[in-house]
Amino acid sequence: ISFLYTCTAVLIFPNIDSVEDELELSAVRHRPEGLEQLEALTRFNRKELQILYRGFKNECPSGVVNEDTFKDIYSQFFPQGDASTYAHFLFNAFDTDKDGSVSFEDFVMGLSILLRGSVQEKLNWAFNLYDINKDGYITKEEMLDIMKAIYDMMGKCTYPLLKDDTPRQHVEIFFQKMDKNKDGVVTIDEFIDCCQNDENIMRSMQLFDNVI
Amino acid sequence: MAAGVAAWLPFARAAAIGWMPVANCPMPIAPRDHRKRHDELIILNVSGRRFQTWRTTLDRYPDTLLGSSEKQFFYDEETKEYFFDRDPDSFRSILNFYRTGKLHYPRYECISAYDEELTFFGIIPEIIGDCCYEEYKDRKRENAERLQDDQDDNKDCKLPNMTYRETMWRAFENPHTSTMALVFYYVTGFFIAISVLTNVIETVPCGATPSQKDMPCGERYTIAFFCMDTACVLIFTVEYLMRLFAAPSRYQFMRSVMSIIDVVAIFPYYIGLVMTDNEDVSGAFVTLRVFRVFRIFKFSRHSQGLRILGYTLKSCASELGFLLFSLTMAIIIFATVMFYAEKGSSSTKFTSIPASFWYTIVTMTTLGYGDMVPKTIAGKIFGSICSLSGVLVIALPVPVIVSNFSRIYHQNQRADKRRAQKVQKARLARIRIAQTGSSCTGFLQSKRNDLLNELLELTGSEEEEQQLNKGMSLLESQHHHLLHCLEKTTAHEFVDEQLYEQNCLETTIQSYTSRSPSFSSQDGPIGTCCTRRGKMNSPLPNSSLPLQPSHQQGSLQELSALHIQCGDKLPHTTSRSSLNMKTDDVGLINCKGSQITTAIISIPTAPSDTTDGGALHGPPQRRPPPPPTGPQAPSINTTASSNVIKVSAL
């Protein structure tokens, strides 16, 4: 009887290997608004929008970027370190309507500010990036988070060696420079004022103007 | 950096504006895009089938045929297209590689044709994506084995100049190679069979003669059997010695299972010869004869199925172990239960728990001899439960073993597939590391090149500068610029793993020997910023004040120092000590009145570096305790990577 048992078991056995097919949820698809509308919304011309969209759609065929894909893409530019935290902050800065995904409109509007905006707008954008909870003030904790995220991107193989309090020190310097009334937070006016008086920052803001 | 994300590089660069307010130093200048702004469509005519793509798509991989200027050789002026006389089906996958960054291997494609196409277009097969890599490797291995078999056949036909020993070994391993080997193979097989038969017949009772009672043939015809045994053992010994002689690696041969079986098969005979006189040990001698049955295992050289069975059992060790374990558990449980159930009845065979083991085993394996049966009702109930559960417990792991056997049998002599897969995984890991590391090493290398360019510009030696201006694609230069901006923002630099580890070691040494505790605190924010050349580390407290004015002086000194160093020695120098000497000399010579009290820094000699392969070897920076009456010399702190000398003055 055990022989019969084993025979039947052997016959059944190969079927156990088959993996159940799972139903794949169809990905969220998104189609952007027409070229004309986008041209009106942003400061790119048609050709530039075309090139941008082609690159965007190539990497994200579904038309939207969710946070994980965003982190993936951004991390590929910084292989030595961990770019995911900073990518998270960037994602929040780009995702203006807070729907958890960056569509092409969000993407292109953000880029329009960064590449074609006035210095004021760029500084505004940067302030928005640093202000994690979007309450209009940059606190030391928020800045520390951002700083740590930036330093994370360097990885550990740096020269000179990264110490644990390097981000904190950097934040201290930042606050010394920016926080004019020493109340522990940086408001948008203090920020823009201070940046406009710093010629290094002003010069570097123009650096990427001809990226597209 | 994968091609797909190349399209996102502008985005990453734009997002770098987020670092600008945080940075304390000016940013490097962006590389300029000299090429035409607008993108154009390129037509690729592959044997009549036209493919079109953007020029920038092809430019993503500048070290392949389509991405480099090599394709100009295929440009047809009249039709304004690039014509390739190759297979258009394979070209699909190649073009998709440019588009998506992933190389796929189509299953219907012949492996050698595909390889040829890849080689023609300058793409290395290692970058085949995960989805297709296993398939590719399997097919490649099959192909290689086929080629190998062909080669072996060819090899067999001709008689290479192999040593006698190698011929013998080949004859032993593959009996089909020559008739002698075949004969030898059959003869040994025959003698193994004879030996086993004699062992068996020895114990059969031969016909009873009137004078003696029934006795086994072995004792009747002792001499005949002894002669048989001797002959067999002689042949086995000779065979073993010949194999030992012919084996390419004797140590490995002696450790192999087959040789152990051989030894075990022939040893009892010799031990028996030696020990016949000793009466006490004759009991043991008889036991040793049991080992003669191991001769039957020698058949496994002759039968592949036997080998596979043995291999199966070996590979199913865990399942067998599980089977054994679960059986033991069940036996103990049921034996206990039966013992206590039958305790009450008289004249019961279940005298103890170990005695019940026998009943449990016989019942669970559904043998049911009937020499022990329960008499009480409870005993019968538990006995039936025992028998039912036995079927289950045994039936579960057995199919696993059976399927294992069938799987291995079908794979046949593919045990090396396991080995190959391990190598493959290691290789994948290596490639992934290389890919992720390459962009960074590329960046580090270009950094060094740039530095050296600047240095050479200073000294005006243009020949070396041109040598170093390696063509880098615009994409790469933009990526490097991005990484450079990050460096400037954080005021730290990317370094190689080795340099990092060296620095780690040095800092731990430093922390014991450094005198001034303010070293570390001053390091980060204040000084380590700005231009590479003017890197100011201010280790001593009183030096932080005159930071500004000394900067210019320092840089002047550095320039002159650089001039001396670079003018003489080209980057491919290996002797670090001479550089150090120069450093110290320069430090002492340019001892103009400096307003800073500085520490003298000496650089330890590093081992000779390899200039190729982008490996950074650099002597780390070490600060020995400054001498008590530090001479007022602006010492030059030199950290040298393999081609570049970074100089900072204190």
Side-chain angles (χ1 to χ4, degrees):
Chain A
I1 193 172
S2 53
F3 176 68
L4 284 170
Y5 224 100
T6 43
C7 283
T8 49
V10 166
L11 287 170
I12 297 170
F13 201 85
N15 298 343
I16 299 180
D17 284 333
S18 66
V19 180
E20 287 157 10
D21 294 311
E22 292 177 350
L23 267 177
E24 286 239 334
L25 290 172
S26 55
V28 171
R29 275 172 224 278
H30 180 91
R31 223 174 273 137
E33 311 181 30
L35 261 181
E36 290 79 14
Q37 282 128 313
L38 281 177
E39 254 187 294
L41 280 175
T42 66
R43 299 200 187 88
F44 293 117
N45 61 25
R46 264 184 104 82
K47 255 211 162 304
E48 293 167 339
L49 281 174
Q50 280 179 338
I51 296 177
L52 278 174
Y53 187 67
R54 283 203 292 262
F56 183 85
K57 186 110 175 137
N58 214 12
E59 192 61 23
C60 320
S62 59
V64 290
V65 194
N66 60 7
E67 189 161 342
D68 289 329
T69 325
F70 193 87
K71 283 188 183 169
D72 242 348
I73 295 172
Y74 200 70
S75 305
Q76 299 213 21
F77 294 108
F78 304 98
Q80 262 199 344
D82 174 26
S84 51
T85 335
Y86 188 70
H88 167 78
F89 294 130
L90 260 188
F91 185 81
N92 287 340
F94 269 88
D95 184 17
T96 40
D97 50 1
K98 299 284 167 268
D99 61 352
S101 62
V102 168
S103 65
F104 184 62
E105 287 94 345
D106 297 332
F107 177 71
V108 104
M109 288 202 289
L111 275 188
S112 161
I113 298 177
L114 286 174
L115 299 176
R116 300 268 190 272
S118 67
V119 177
Q120 178 94 357
E121 289 173 346
K122 290 183 194 173
L123 291 173
N124 235 329
W125 188 89
F127 185 86
N128 198 29
L129 173 70
Y130 301 147
D131 186 11
I132 299 179
N133 54 2
K134 315 279 182 248
D135 61 353
Y137 299 104
I138 304 180
T139 63
K140 278 200 180 164
E141 285 73 29
E142 290 174 340
M143 204 56 216
L144 186 61
D145 282 339
I146 300 268
M147 203 62 74
K148 278 206 205 137
I150 294 181
Y151 274 88
D152 276 345
M153 283 198 282
M154 292 290 295
K156 65 174 172 76
C157 298
T158 59
Y159 174 79
L161 291 174
L162 268 181
K163 303 184 186 65
D164 287 334
D165 60 345
T166 319
R168 185 171 291 279
Q169 287 179 335
H170 205 151
V171 170
E172 292 300 324
I173 302 175
F174 180 78
F175 264 79
Q176 270 170 19
K177 230 188 347 177
M178 302 276 169
D179 191 8
K180 287 289 181 308
N181 57 359
K182 304 290 172 219
D183 58 354
V185 291
V186 176
T187 64
I188 177 86
D189 302 310
E190 287 176 342
F191 181 74
I192 294 185
D193 255 339
C194 185
C195 288
Q196 281 179 332
N197 292 337
D198 185 336
E199 59 170 74
N200 271 344
I201 296 182
M202 295 311 283
R203 210 171 336 136
S204 43
M205 283 288 172
Q206 325 285 1
L207 200 60
F208 294 110
D209 275 351
N210 54 355
V211 160
I212 296 283
Chain B
M1 190 172 61
V5 293
W8 283 65
L9 184 59
F11 156 73
R13 299 180 71 210
I17 287 188
W19 308 332
M20 303 297 155
V22 170
N24 300 322
C25 334
M27 291 287 149
I29 309 172
R32 231 156 306 161
D33 190 354
H34 299 289
R35 269 175 275 165
K36 295 188 282 206
R37 274 285 140 201
H38 56 274
D39 213 351
E40 47 167 346
L41 277 177
I42 295 189
I43 306 177
L44 301 162
N45 184 347
V46 183
S47 304
R49 202 184 301 178
R50 281 188 176 70
F51 297 87
Q52 288 184 318
T53 182
W54 297 108
R55 177 179 287 278
T56 47
T57 312
L58 293 181
D59 286 340
R60 284 183 194 154
Y61 295 100
D63 50 357
T64 58
L65 187 152
L66 290 172
S68 64
S69 54
E70 197 182 339
K71 62 178 183 280
Q72 298 303 330
F73 287 102
F74 299 92
Y75 189 65
D76 186 357
E77 293 292 342
E78 294 150 33
T79 51
K80 296 262 186 278
E81 60 188 22
Y82 294 88
F83 180 77
F84 298 97
D85 200 8
R86 310 289 299 187
D87 183 14
D89 288 329
S90 314
F91 191 72
R92 257 187 56 231
S93 340
I94 290 173
L95 195 53
N96 277 336
F97 165 62
Y98 286 89
R99 291 186 184 130
T100 61
K102 297 194 199 80
L103 182 61
H104 294 284
Y105 169 62
R107 271 161 216 256
Y108 56 81
E109 192 73 53
C110 168
I111 183 82
S112 26
Y114 189 72
D115 264 343
E116 264 184 47
E117 294 297 311
L118 285 185
T119 325
F120 180 85
F121 286 103
I123 300 173
I124 47 171
E126 270 70 39
I127 51 181
I128 290 183
D130 278 347
C131 39
C132 300
Y133 194 65
E134 302 243 347
E135 169 83 20
Y136 175 79
K137 271 293 160 188
D138 279 350
R139 295 276 286 271
K140 194 133 193 213
R141 194 186 28 245
E142 274 175 50
N143 203 34
E145 279 177 7
R146 187 179 53 79
L147 286 171
Q148 184 75 6
D149 284 344
D150 287 346
Q151 258 187 8
D152 281 347
D153 287 344
N154 289 346
K155 221 172 26 168
D156 291 345
C157 297
K158 32 185 171 107
L159 291 171
N161 306 337
M162 286 201 303
T163 65
Y164 186 58
R165 183 173 155 186
E166 282 173 12
T167 346
M168 262 176 68
W169 179 248
R170 210 155 59 81
F172 282 140
E173 292 299 301
N174 310 354
H176 314 284
T177 45
S178 68
T179 32
M180 265 306 293
L182 213 56
V183 163
F184 182 75
Y185 177 75
Y186 281 124
V187 162
T188 45
F190 175 70
F191 272 99
I192 295 174
I194 293 276
S195 162
V196 169
L197 270 177
T198 49
N199 280 347
V200 166
I201 293 181
E202 252 183 352
T203 57
V204 170
C206 292
T209 64
S211 54
Q212 300 147 335
K213 59 176 170 59
D214 241 0
M215 55 155 117
C217 284
E219 289 177 26
R220 213 142 150 227
Y221 306 102
T222 323
I223 310 235
F225 280 108
F226 184 71
C227 290
M228 276 292 221
D229 208 19
T230 316
C232 293
V233 168
L234 269 176
I235 299 223
F236 295 152
T237 318
V238 163
E239 182 209 349
Y240 180 70
L241 287 173
M242 273 168 49
R243 272 183 208 264
L244 191 62
F245 167 67
S249 154
R250 295 214 173 107
Y251 179 60
Q252 208 166 8
F253 172 73
M254 278 176 46
R255 277 179 12 176
S256 72
V257 177
M258 292 309 306
S259 101
I260 292 178
I261 291 177
D262 287 339
V263 168
V264 168
I266 59 184
F267 238 60
Y269 177 81
Y270 290 110
I271 296 182
L273 276 185
V274 167
M275 298 210 293
T276 31
D277 41 6
N278 201 334
E279 290 303 318
D280 294 331
V281 202
S282 66
F285 166 66
V286 169
T287 322
L288 275 178
R289 298 184 101 193
V290 165
F291 281 98
R292 290 187 304 170
V293 80
F294 275 85
R295 286 181 199 162
I296 207 168
F297 282 114
K298 286 167 68 79
F299 265 129
S300 56
R301 269 219 187 90
H302 299 253
S303 154
Q304 190 166 309
L306 213 58
R307 271 206 298 270
I308 291 176
L309 182 63
Y311 188 69
T312 312
L313 289 175
K314 194 169 65 158
S315 68
C316 302
S318 63
E319 279 88 19
L320 281 175
F322 168 68
L323 172 62
L324 223 60
F325 178 67
S326 60
L327 264 181
T328 315
M329 257 179 31
I331 287 172
I332 293 178
I333 291 175
F334 278 106
T336 316
V337 167
M338 288 308 294
F339 172 70
Y340 283 113
E342 285 289 303
K343 204 159 178 208
S345 83
S346 56
S347 73
T348 183
K349 291 234 172 65
F350 295 82
T351 49
S352 64
I353 294 188
S356 316
F357 279 168
W358 174 245
Y359 169 76
T360 320
I361 292 176
V362 168
T363 314
M364 281 185 94
T365 53
T366 69
L367 278 175
Y369 289 133
D371 55 349
M372 278 165 88
V373 282
K375 293 199 176 63
T376 61
I377 308 245
K380 287 190 177 151
I381 293 176
F382 286 118
S384 39
I385 297 178
C386 171
S387 122
L388 286 172
S389 64
V391 169
L392 278 173
V393 167
I394 292 186
L396 281 175
V398 167
V400 176
I401 299 175
V402 169
S403 79
N404 260 358
F405 180 83
S406 114
R407 177 174 55 86
I408 293 174
Y409 186 77
H410 282 302
Q411 281 176 11
N412 218 0
Q413 279 141 354
R414 292 283 167 91
D416 53 334
K417 183 168 183 175
R418 294 260 171 75
R419 260 179 273 128
Q421 282 194 354
K422 275 193 212 139
V423 170
Q424 182 180 310
K425 278 187 196 138
R427 186 179 211 175
L428 279 174
R430 252 188 299 127
I431 288 171
R432 236 168 261 137
I433 291 173
Q435 276 177 347
T436 52
S438 65
S439 56
C440 223
T441 51
F443 173 60
L444 295 168
Q445 212 168 9
S446 76
K447 250 197 340 174
R448 280 180 284 133
N449 289 344
D450 286 342
L451 255 186
L452 199 53
N453 274 349
E454 290 175 33
L455 294 173
L456 291 172
E457 266 167 48
L458 274 182
T459 62
S461 48
E462 272 141 27
E463 312 87 52
E464 288 93 12
E465 184 180 342
Q466 277 160 9
Q467 268 177 14
L468 289 171
N469 265 335
K470 295 199 188 123
M472 201 167 46
S473 78
L474 183 66
L475 231 59
E476 280 180 30
S477 58
Q478 286 177 343
H479 188 204
H480 293 169
H481 173 248
L482 184 65
L483 291 172
H484 205 171
C485 285
L486 182 60
E487 283 187 341
K488 286 287 186 231
T489 312
T490 56
H492 286 69
E493 294 185 3
F494 287 110
V495 290
D496 202 9
E497 273 273 347
Q498 290 157 324
L499 200 53
Y500 165 70
E501 271 155 32
Q502 278 174 339
N503 284 350
C504 273
L505 276 163
E506 292 305 322
T507 45
T508 49
I509 296 173
Q510 256 185 49
S511 55
Y512 293 124
T513 61
S514 136
R515 262 189 1 182
S516 164
S518 64
F519 271 31
S520 45
S521 61
Q522 298 276 2
D523 223 46
I526 297 183
T528 61
C529 191
C530 308
T531 66
R532 263 182 244 122
R533 269 181 245 119
K535 193 150 60 128
M536 309 276 291
N537 289 332
S538 40
L540 300 170
N542 56 358
S543 63
S544 58
L545 293 168
L547 210 63
Q548 291 296 55
S550 58
H551 184 91
Q552 286 84 2
Q553 256 195 28
S555 47
L556 274 175
Q557 286 168 333
E558 288 152 3
L559 291 181
S560 45
L562 285 172
H563 182 83
I564 294 175
Q565 284 168 353
C566 295
D568 260 9
K569 298 265 181 186
L570 283 183
H572 307 293
T573 168
T574 55
S575 64
R576 198 62 32 135
S577 46
S578 49
L579 277 177
N580 292 339
M581 236 166 34
K582 278 227 161 10
T583 310
D584 293 337
D585 281 350
V586 166
L588 288 169
I589 289 170
N590 293 351
C591 185
K592 310 249 161 83
S594 162
Q595 289 147 351
I596 326 173
T597 50
T598 58
I600 292 184
I601 293 177
S602 65
I603 318 294
T605 57
S608 65
D609 59 335
T610 54
T611 50
D612 286 348
L616 272 179
H617 285 265
Q621 168 189 350
R622 187 164 54 158
R623 300 176 197 197
T629 59
Q632 303 276 325
S635 62
I636 302 191
N637 171 15
T638 316
T639 52
S641 43
S642 59
N643 294 348
V644 168
I645 302 156
K646 277 190 295 247
V647 176
S648 61
L650 287 162

